Amino acid sequence: MRIESVDIFYLRMPEVLDIGDGSQDATLVRVSGGGHVGWGQCEASPLASIAAWVCPLSHSACKPVSASVLGRALDSVEDIVRIGDEVRANSLDLLQAEHMLSGVDIALWDLLGRAKGEPVWRLLGYRQAHPKLPYASVLFGDTPQETLEKAKRSRAAGFRAGKFGWGPYGKGSAAADRDQVMAAREGLGPDGVLLVDAGTIWNEDVARASERVAALREARTTWLEEPFHTGALGAYGELAKRCAPVKLAGGEGSHNFHMAQHLIDHGGIGYVQIDTGRIGGITPAKRVADYAHAKGVTYVNHTFTSQLSLCASLQPYVGIAGDEICEYPTESKAVSARLTKERLLPGADGLIRVPDTPGLGMTPDPAVIREFLVDAEIRVAGKTLYRTPSI
Amino acid sequence: MRIESVDIFYLRMPEVLDIGDGSQDATLVRVSGGGHVGWGQCEASPLASIAAWVCPLSHSACKPVSASVLGRALDSVEDIVRIGDEVRANSLDLLQAEHMLSGVDIALWDLLGRAKGEPVWRLLGYRQAHPKLPYASVLFGDTPQETLEKAKRSRAAGFRAGKFGWGPYGKGSAAADRDQVMAAREGLGPDGVLLVDAGTIWNEDVARASERVAALREARTTWLEEPFHTGALGAYGELAKRCAPVKLAGGEGSHNFHMAQHLIDHGGIGYVQIDTGRIGGITPAKRVADYAHAKGVTYVNHTFTSQLSLCASLQPYVGIAGDEICEYPTESKAVSARLTKERLLPGADGLIRVPDTPGLGMTPDPAVIREFLVDAEIRVAGKTLYRTPSI
């Protein structure tokens, strides 16, 4: 089949707040070809991504993403790989391209899977989809007491794993941080999987991060996430040597395979966290999963938005039995939470399973799209390059 | 003073061709404050960059670049550093932000310099601006004979250094590439500085690149540029070990300090090439220059567009006497070539000098801006977020 049309939908909540919640808007991609429709989502600024799709040619290595997608043949996995390579070459100097490509790549996998009657994970070469242990992401409370209660609620809601992050963590003294981490451990119970997210709070300061290691060990923390900026490989590598058996986790900001590879090769991380909505889609995410597996590093999805994104983000590593943990969005805003009718809910054993249906098996609800759709228009030199598509 | 207004101008040639010439359009930034005006330019897609400036808030780490710039205080170098840090934090998940920031940062340095009556390089802490040896960038000819003639013409035009790249190089046999490189050497003369640009042709294939090393040595090539994709640190590091005394050059794609640092730390490059219009402006570029100097790596500008961009790109390393070479655009299209009345022309000694006048000392010509200005408009939810500013 040919890729006949691609539509990008900008969805958002009636009010978007200045808080660390990426589920307040959505960049949704619909790809049509051969009588089938595939869906994907970018974890990215909707307007900037739309601009990356429609922007006029600047030069041979700064083309709009659309130039390497529309009209292309799509009959095999190799076609998806080729399209991604073409986008990266033709849009080399268009920085936003990899975020825009992410939603397109996901939609292409969905489309190909639907056309072939196969789930995406099988197209990726996996023979089996293993269940994953979801962790609930929670902000640290303002006080250890609040954190304790949050951890207890999370456990009561059925989550055996919990990630605590941001809030006051890392901003005050190491002693205050110890109280927070120990409260989280107490609330999760002795057998809970405790994950801590520092939200790049220490920038590149290895000494300040190191002061927290003893408490993280004491609380039997599985990973310390993003102590530093993604690019601070030296700081990552240094801290990694000092914090065993606690492992470092990072990589959500990776917008291509190489960035994740550098964290594995030079940052000493034990967990690589990939957002398929940012790294360029399922294709480069699978490459990271393979690379991580070969290097003894555990792959984890990064997902904070819809169930469509969640399902897409699990595909690259759902066939790796040993990579057990998955991020599971629990507090998404309506535009994300209600996007698809299908939901990946924890089973009786508390585990998450991806569908066995063709493609991703998740279809955005047209009524929900219409409810949250934002009217947008881009005009250049008298020509309308983008107008909100109809649904 | 306060940053009172920022305007972004999208300029382009009447016709933009699908060729490797980045001078066919321009993203120009004008910043006003305290009765002064500063100018900067992004080396980036104009429309995508404008979108990064105006896009609506997605969440606390995905804000438009404008949110961290407009209304901010600007009285010192520290203010510029702080604004850049704020943009990188507030727009962490907006990929295009660093390209947009680049032009803004350059304009802020220009503005501060004009307000203080100091050239930018002095604000950067340099006591002296050293002249640089410009190299002309030329495409390899289709045949060695053509390359020979191009090299002779370049030499006759007064350039003692010449960079040859792209065209057939790297695509055929190592023997054919040898003929090309030897023709370039012959045309430049025995004392010319010969630079070769592989344009990422070998992707990550160290073996194919290695086959060219003997000829590069034989032709006394100073550097081999971009044998691989910027992210392929492992391949860079491997080839670097095999090609001495020829050094590797790379880094033009860096859109933050860390990417350049990784090439220095893990890629084994001898020359780090930075485009101030991509890396986030003069501020991170200066940080790279300092880091490179400390590591014994030579800094070189990457500039393919206007004289405004050229002048901005020289500032970060103009005070380092030992870093002698500079890229000098020689075949820019009119929108770039005519943008400023001021021009940095080679002196009688063939060397380039930056102005001693306040700021960058380069002012875009309003008539030229009007001539190439593109009318653009972005509307979201009934609100006009961008409309081409008047000049």
Side-chain angles (χ1 to χ4, degrees):
Chain A
M1 60 185 154
R2 294 266 151 198
I3 299 171
E4 289 154 22
S5 68
V6 176
D7 295 301
I8 308 166
F9 299 90
Y10 179 172
L11 313 184
R12 73 175 174 198
M13 298 298 293
E15 197 186 4
V16 175
L17 305 173
D18 187 1
I19 56 174
D21 176 357
S23 75
Q24 303 181 85
D25 64 10
T27 310
L28 198 62
V29 180
R30 178 178 66 186
V31 179
S32 306
H36 300 278
V37 174
W39 292 91
Q41 187 176 344
C42 315
E43 174 55 33
S45 158
L47 185 67
S49 302
I50 290 169
W53 180 256
V54 302
C55 62
L57 171 73
S58 284
H59 56 82
S60 59
C62 193
K63 290 178 185 166
V65 175
S66 56
S68 311
V69 178
L70 288 171
R72 295 298 190 277
L74 178 65
D75 297 303
S76 66
V77 167
E78 291 67 37
D79 287 336
I80 300 179
V81 172
R82 193 181 30 73
I83 289 168
D85 287 345
E86 228 187 301
V87 168
R88 277 180 290 271
N90 290 336
S91 303
L92 181 71
D93 290 341
L94 174 60
L95 197 44
Q96 189 70 21
E98 284 161 323
H99 274 189
M100 180 66 249
L101 169 62
S102 300
V104 173
D105 177 275
I106 293 168
L108 292 178
W109 280 100
D110 187 35
L111 179 59
L112 186 67
R114 287 171 192 254
K116 292 195 175 287
E118 293 274 7
V120 168
W121 54 265
R122 206 168 287 142
L123 293 180
L124 284 167
Y126 290 131
R127 277 194 267 175
Q128 204 184 333
H130 297 279
K132 302 290 179 192
L133 176 69
Y135 70 78
S137 270
V138 176
L139 299 180
F140 275 114
D142 287 338
T143 62
Q145 185 60 33
E146 261 185 56
T147 296
L148 172 68
E149 283 155 22
K150 282 182 172 216
K152 281 182 176 170
R153 277 200 299 276
S154 177
R155 186 72 206 229
F159 288 100
R160 280 186 278 145
K163 185 169 88 179
F164 296 78
W166 303 76
Y169 190 77
K171 292 179 183 164
S173 69
D177 286 350
R178 179 189 174 277
D179 293 345
Q180 284 281 3
V181 173
M182 296 306 287
R185 162 55 70 203
E186 187 184 336
L188 278 185
D191 63 332
V193 175
L194 173 60
L195 316 168
V196 172
D197 183 357
T200 75
I201 191 77
W202 300 302
N203 200 4
E204 303 187 36
D205 190 338
V206 179
R208 285 192 60 211
S210 299
E211 291 168 14
R212 273 76 183 178
V213 166
L216 293 170
R217 274 199 201 107
E218 189 183 351
R220 288 179 295 109
T221 308
T222 298
W223 81 52
L224 171 65
E225 177 173 335
E226 291 217 317
F228 312 115
H229 179 282
T230 298
L233 296 181
Y236 265 96
E238 191 87 13
L239 184 62
K241 284 182 215 145
R242 302 188 193 176
C243 69
V246 178
K247 289 185 177 173
L248 298 186
E252 66 176 84
S254 301
H255 56 84
N256 56 50
F257 166 77
H258 287 113
M259 289 178 72
Q261 185 185 34
H262 299 163
L263 275 166
I264 292 170
D265 288 352
H266 305 292
I269 57 172
Y271 291 85
V272 63
Q273 303 171 292
I274 298 301
D275 199 314
T276 51
R278 286 182 187 152
I279 198 168
I282 290 172
T283 313
K286 173 63 161 57
R287 196 178 161 202
V288 174
D290 291 343
Y291 190 77
H293 192 64
K295 295 281 179 177
V297 166
T298 305
Y299 185 105
V300 196
N301 68 308
H302 175 268
T303 314
F304 212 77
T305 56
S306 71
Q307 294 268 316
L308 170 65
S309 285
L310 174 65
C311 186
S313 75
L314 296 176
Q315 306 292 328
Y317 78 116
V318 78
I320 304 175
D323 295 358
E324 288 180 323
I325 300 176
C326 79
E327 181 164 36
Y328 187 83
T330 55
E331 295 174 321
S332 297
K333 292 285 189 293
V335 61
S336 295
R338 288 171 39 212
L339 185 64
T340 58
K341 281 189 181 137
E342 303 88 348
R343 295 184 62 76
L344 307 184
L345 297 173
D349 54 3
L351 303 180
I352 299 289
R353 287 165 177 83
V354 298
D356 198 18
T357 45
L360 294 172
M362 313 291 285
T363 306
D365 181 342
V368 175
I369 295 178
R370 277 192 291 272
E371 181 181 344
F372 294 102
L373 191 57
V374 176
D375 194 52
E377 188 179 351
I378 299 179
R379 290 177 62 81
V380 172
K383 231 176 105 181
T384 300
L385 299 185
Y386 177 83
R387 184 173 286 155
T388 300
S390 58
I391 175 89
Chain B
M1 60 184 156
R2 293 267 151 197
I3 299 171
E4 289 155 21
S5 68
V6 176
D7 295 302
I8 307 165
F9 299 91
Y10 179 171
L11 313 184
R12 74 173 174 200
M13 297 298 293
E15 198 185 2
V16 175
L17 305 174
D18 188 1
I19 56 174
D21 176 357
S23 75
Q24 303 181 86
D25 64 9
T27 311
L28 198 61
V29 180
R30 177 179 67 186
V31 179
S32 306
H36 300 278
V37 173
W39 292 92
Q41 187 176 342
C42 315
E43 174 54 32
S45 158
L47 185 68
S49 302
I50 290 168
W53 180 256
V54 303
C55 62
L57 171 74
S58 283
H59 57 80
S60 59
C62 193
K63 291 178 184 166
V65 176
S66 56
S68 310
V69 178
L70 288 171
R72 295 298 190 280
L74 178 64
D75 297 302
S76 66
V77 167
E78 291 68 37
D79 287 336
I80 300 179
V81 172
R82 193 181 30 72
I83 289 168
D85 287 346
E86 227 187 302
V87 169
R88 276 180 290 270
N90 290 336
S91 303
L92 180 71
D93 290 341
L94 174 60
L95 197 45
Q96 189 70 20
E98 284 161 323
H99 275 189
M100 179 67 249
L101 169 62
S102 300
V104 173
D105 177 274
I106 293 168
L108 292 178
W109 281 100
D110 187 35
L111 180 59
L112 186 68
R114 288 172 190 252
K116 291 195 176 289
E118 294 273 8
V120 168
W121 53 266
R122 206 169 285 141
L123 293 180
L124 284 167
Y126 290 130
R127 278 195 265 174
Q128 204 184 333
H130 297 279
K132 302 289 178 193
L133 177 70
Y135 70 79
S137 271
V138 177
L139 299 180
F140 274 114
D142 287 338
T143 63
Q145 185 58 32
E146 262 186 54
T147 296
L148 172 68
E149 283 153 23
K150 282 184 172 214
K152 282 183 174 169
R153 277 200 299 276
S154 177
R155 186 71 206 230
F159 288 100
R160 281 186 278 145
K163 186 169 88 180
F164 296 79
W166 303 77
Y169 190 78
K171 292 178 183 165
S173 70
D177 286 351
R178 179 189 174 277
D179 293 344
Q180 285 280 4
V181 172
M182 296 307 286
R185 163 53 72 204
E186 187 186 337
L188 279 185
D191 63 333
V193 175
L194 172 61
L195 315 168
V196 172
D197 183 357
T200 75
I201 191 77
W202 301 302
N203 200 2
E204 304 186 38
D205 189 337
V206 180
R208 286 192 61 212
S210 299
E211 290 168 14
R212 272 77 184 177
V213 167
L216 293 170
R217 276 200 200 104
E218 188 183 353
R220 288 180 296 110
T221 308
T222 298
W223 81 49
L224 172 64
E225 177 173 335
E226 291 216 315
F228 313 115
H229 179 281
T230 299
L233 295 181
Y236 265 96
E238 191 86 13
L239 184 62
K241 284 183 213 143
R242 302 188 192 177
C243 69
V246 178
K247 289 184 176 173
L248 298 185
E252 65 176 84
S254 302
H255 55 83
N256 56 50
F257 165 77
H258 287 113
M259 289 177 72
Q261 184 186 37
H262 300 162
L263 275 166
I264 292 171
D265 287 354
H266 305 292
I269 56 172
Y271 291 85
V272 62
Q273 303 170 291
I274 299 301
D275 199 314
T276 51
R278 285 182 188 154
I279 199 169
I282 291 172
T283 313
K286 172 64 160 60
R287 197 178 161 203
V288 174
D290 291 344
Y291 190 77
H293 192 64
K295 297 280 180 177
V297 167
T298 306
Y299 185 104
V300 196
N301 68 308
H302 176 268
T303 314
F304 213 76
T305 56
S306 71
Q307 293 269 317
L308 170 64
S309 284
L310 174 65
C311 186
S313 76
L314 296 175
Q315 306 292 328
Y317 78 116
V318 78
I320 304 175
D323 294 359
E324 287 180 323
I325 299 176
C326 79
E327 180 164 36
Y328 186 83
T330 55
E331 294 174 321
S332 297
K333 292 285 190 294
V335 60
S336 295
R338 289 170 40 211
L339 184 63
T340 58
K341 282 191 181 133
E342 304 89 347
R343 295 184 63 76
L344 307 184
L345 297 173
D349 55 2
L351 304 180
I352 299 289
R353 288 165 177 83
V354 298
D356 199 19
T357 44
L360 294 172
M362 313 290 284
T363 307
D365 181 342
V368 175
I369 295 179
R370 276 191 293 271
E371 183 182 343
F372 294 102
L373 192 58
V374 177
D375 193 53
E377 188 180 350
I378 299 179
R379 291 176 61 82
V380 172
K383 233 177 104 180
T384 300
L385 299 185
Y386 176 83
R387 185 173 286 156
T388 300
S390 57
I391 175 88

